[in-house]
Amino acid sequence: MSQPSQVTCHECDLLVALKPISEGQKLTCPRCRFVFTRKFPLAQEKLMAFGVSGLFFLVLSFAFPFLSFITRGSDRTIVLLDSMRSLQEFEFFSVAMLLMLTTIIIPGLVLFAVLYVLIAIKWKLRLPMLNSTAKLISYLIPWNMAEIFLIGILVSLIKITSLAQIEFGYSFYCYVLFVLCLTATLVYFDRFQLWYWIRQVEFND
Amino acid sequence: MIEHESSHQSKAKTALSQYQRNCELCYFQNPSDACICECCGKKLSQRKKSSLQHTIALLITSIILYIPANLLPIMYTNYLGEITESTIVGGVVTLWGQGSYPVALIIFVASVLVPIGKILALIWLCYFVKQTKKRSSEKNQQLYRVTEFIGRWSMVDVFVVAILVALIQMGNLMSVHPGEAAIAFAGLVITTMLAANTFDSKLIWQSKD
């Protein structure tokens, strides 16, 4: 099996002949400007570096206090999972599940899957479920809302800063770093390039 | 760096007109009789199946969900034993009154403008693809991309409620309870995201092919 010589535009169905591009360039659909691929220097290394650090910070953000709320003698400190736990206490299971999925499980899975596929590519390993994992990444990415959760935290803090003093815990900083790493991973993630590499491993070795 | 095989004057070569079976997910070039992509295993089809019906059904669901999402309170605030309800729009008005204009604006755009805009844009696109003569496909494609991109950002309000509920739990001194609108609003965001997902943007270009 070989690499494609022409591709179908995902958005407008135009057939586009492929030409080799060099680093820093991108391939776009001439009709609807859909970007097929961007070639970054050291894309594999960057993806792995940001993926590993992202997962690392995600795990760390469970370990410490997340936010503290101090007002007139009484105070309350929450950890990351408390935002889901308290929704659950009020029997808002669906919203709690949604929060859990979109801000922790799906972003974590995306990073994990990217790393898994890249390990297979980098060391030319035929790992089990390689294709399904790569497919999963594309299906999960639209449902990642970690960065929106971060904006939500900031908005809610602005809402209550007049009522009380807010202190950020270490977990909060870890979560911010996690979101930054995740965003960087998604910038360098390129479906076209990824499948090109996978085919190199699967068919050409 | 693409060689465009056909000029804009002549009919564009599309996968549909050329009976091509290129995979949309992994870009693999399949033989013309393939039904499942030989590289990644995705089912091959030229168009998303009954895309318009799915999109319209999901749009109707989201319009129905829009009513409770705005009428019911999104959270209850208990301050010194006095319970106040706040709806989404009410929250924006309160923030505006307190003078935090940027935050009020963020919430207003994310939870009021974006959902309405998304629903209207998708209704327009469903109407547009039914036209026989399609002009400005590029602009409509752009509209679709924006709709797809901003969809997730409406979730901000639900996350704000989640954080406030977790953080402010001090009994009668001050506490926040989630309201039913949070569920409706989360559902609204999900259904509009699904509606944008099921809409097949290739239909925007179809008559030009």
Side-chain angles (χ1 to χ4, degrees):
Chain A
M1 288 208 219
S2 57
Q3 301 288 358
S5 62
Q6 61 174 13
V7 292
T8 306
C9 175
H10 168 71
E11 301 216 314
C12 78
D13 208 30
L14 190 75
L15 281 176
V16 179
L18 290 178
K19 269 195 150 187
I21 54 168
S22 50
E23 279 175 358
Q25 286 183 313
K26 58 182 180 182
L27 261 177
T28 49
C29 170
R31 185 162 73 166
C32 75
R33 307 280 155 215
F34 174 72
V35 179
F36 291 112
T37 180
R38 278 194 184 88
K39 212 165 187 177
F40 291 108
L42 294 177
Q44 286 185 14
E45 287 76 7
K46 282 175 183 164
L47 275 173
M48 282 188 107
F50 284 120
V52 170
S53 2
L55 274 183
F56 178 71
F57 287 125
L58 179 63
V59 172
L60 276 188
S61 63
F62 290 106
F64 308 104
F66 195 62
L67 292 169
S68 298
F69 177 78
I70 304 153
T71 178
R72 273 173 280 170
S74 55
D75 62 327
R76 183 178 160 87
T77 303
I78 58 166
V79 294
L80 179 58
L81 287 176
D82 276 339
S83 48
M84 291 112 212
R85 202 171 294 141
S86 38
L87 277 175
Q88 213 172 0
E89 276 163 19
F90 289 105
E91 304 202 329
F92 278 63
F93 297 111
S94 52
V95 185
M97 269 316 281
L98 188 75
L99 188 65
M100 184 87 177
L101 276 173
T102 54
T103 62
I104 294 171
I105 295 177
I106 288 177
L109 263 179
V110 166
L111 288 182
F112 190 78
V114 167
L115 279 180
Y116 184 82
V117 175
L118 272 176
I119 286 169
I121 290 167
K122 193 101 178 123
W123 286 284
K124 303 223 180 307
L125 304 169
R126 291 191 176 186
L127 294 177
M129 311 277 285
L130 183 58
N131 286 11
S132 332
T133 315
K135 238 167 43 171
L136 189 70
I137 302 171
S138 309
Y139 291 135
L140 287 184
I141 284 177
W143 299 99
N144 148 48
M145 300 187 189
E147 67 272 33
I148 299 161
F149 185 52
L150 206 57
I151 299 290
I153 294 169
L154 297 179
V155 168
S156 52
L157 292 188
I158 294 169
K159 269 189 164 179
I160 55 174
T161 81
S162 58
L163 299 173
Q165 198 188 335
I166 309 292
E167 269 171 24
F168 297 118
Y170 288 124
S171 272
F172 177 77
Y173 295 112
C174 290
Y175 196 80
V176 172
L177 289 170
F178 157 68
V179 170
L180 288 178
C181 290
L182 177 72
T183 312
T185 311
L186 294 183
V187 167
Y188 290 114
F189 175 79
D190 189 320
R191 188 154 51 97
F192 185 92
Q193 189 85 67
L194 192 82
W195 283 100
Y196 185 86
W197 291 330
I198 288 175
R199 278 191 286 268
Q200 278 182 337
V201 174
E202 295 254 299
F203 308 130
N204 294 359
D205 65 339
Chain B
M1 292 294 287
I2 292 167
E3 203 172 73
H4 191 9
E5 286 199 330
S6 60
S7 62
H8 274 292
Q9 285 79 36
S10 67
K11 281 201 164 186
K13 272 189 185 173
T14 61
L16 187 66
S17 66
Q18 304 288 310
Y19 305 103
Q20 279 296 324
R21 291 262 169 201
N22 296 345
C23 180
E24 286 179 357
L25 185 77
C26 73
Y27 298 102
F28 187 72
Q29 226 170 323
N30 286 288
S32 53
D33 57 343
C35 299
I36 287 174
C37 176
E38 288 178 6
C39 175
C40 70
K42 190 187 188 299
K43 224 171 131 186
L44 295 170
S45 62
Q46 299 288 7
R47 296 286 179 269
K48 287 178 188 167
K49 204 181 161 195
S50 32
S51 144
L52 277 186
Q53 282 94 321
H54 287 196
T55 307
I56 290 168
L58 286 162
L59 278 178
I60 293 170
T61 317
S62 59
I63 292 167
I64 294 170
L65 281 172
Y66 192 81
I67 300 164
N70 277 287
L71 291 183
L72 293 175
I74 195 157
M75 62 182 185
Y76 301 92
T77 318
N78 181 347
Y79 188 65
L80 301 172
E82 190 188 325
I83 297 175
T84 41
E85 303 177 348
S86 47
T87 56
I88 291 173
V89 181
V92 175
V93 172
T94 315
L95 276 171
W96 191 265
Q98 285 169 355
S100 23
Y101 303 117
V103 186
L105 215 64
I106 291 177
I107 296 286
F108 179 71
V109 171
S111 4
V112 183
L113 283 191
V114 167
I116 295 179
K118 220 161 50 166
I119 291 171
L120 289 180
L122 283 170
I123 291 173
W124 160 252
L125 285 172
C126 286
Y127 167 77
F128 174 80
V129 298
K130 281 285 169 199
Q131 303 299 103
T132 40
K133 272 211 166 177
K134 287 175 194 158
R135 284 187 199 142
S136 62
S137 292
E138 292 87 353
K139 273 185 190 154
N140 284 291
Q141 180 69 44
Q142 213 62 43
L143 179 70
Y144 175 67
R145 267 178 214 160
V146 171
T147 314
E148 222 184 6
F149 175 77
I150 58 170
R152 310 176 305 144
W153 286 93
S154 324
M155 215 54 143
V156 167
D157 229 16
V158 178
F159 292 162
V160 168
V161 172
I163 285 290
L164 289 182
V165 167
L167 205 53
I168 310 182
Q169 287 305 332
M170 294 173 179
N172 265 338
L173 180 64
M174 198 194 311
S175 56
V176 172
H177 297 217
E180 295 76 12
I183 299 174
F185 196 77
L188 167 72
V189 178
I190 298 283
T191 44
T192 46
M193 277 176 76
L194 285 172
N197 258 340
T198 49
F199 181 80
D200 196 338
S201 63
K202 287 168 188 165
L203 297 173
I204 296 175
W205 301 85
Q206 192 140 291
S207 74
K208 287 199 169 175
D209 297 350

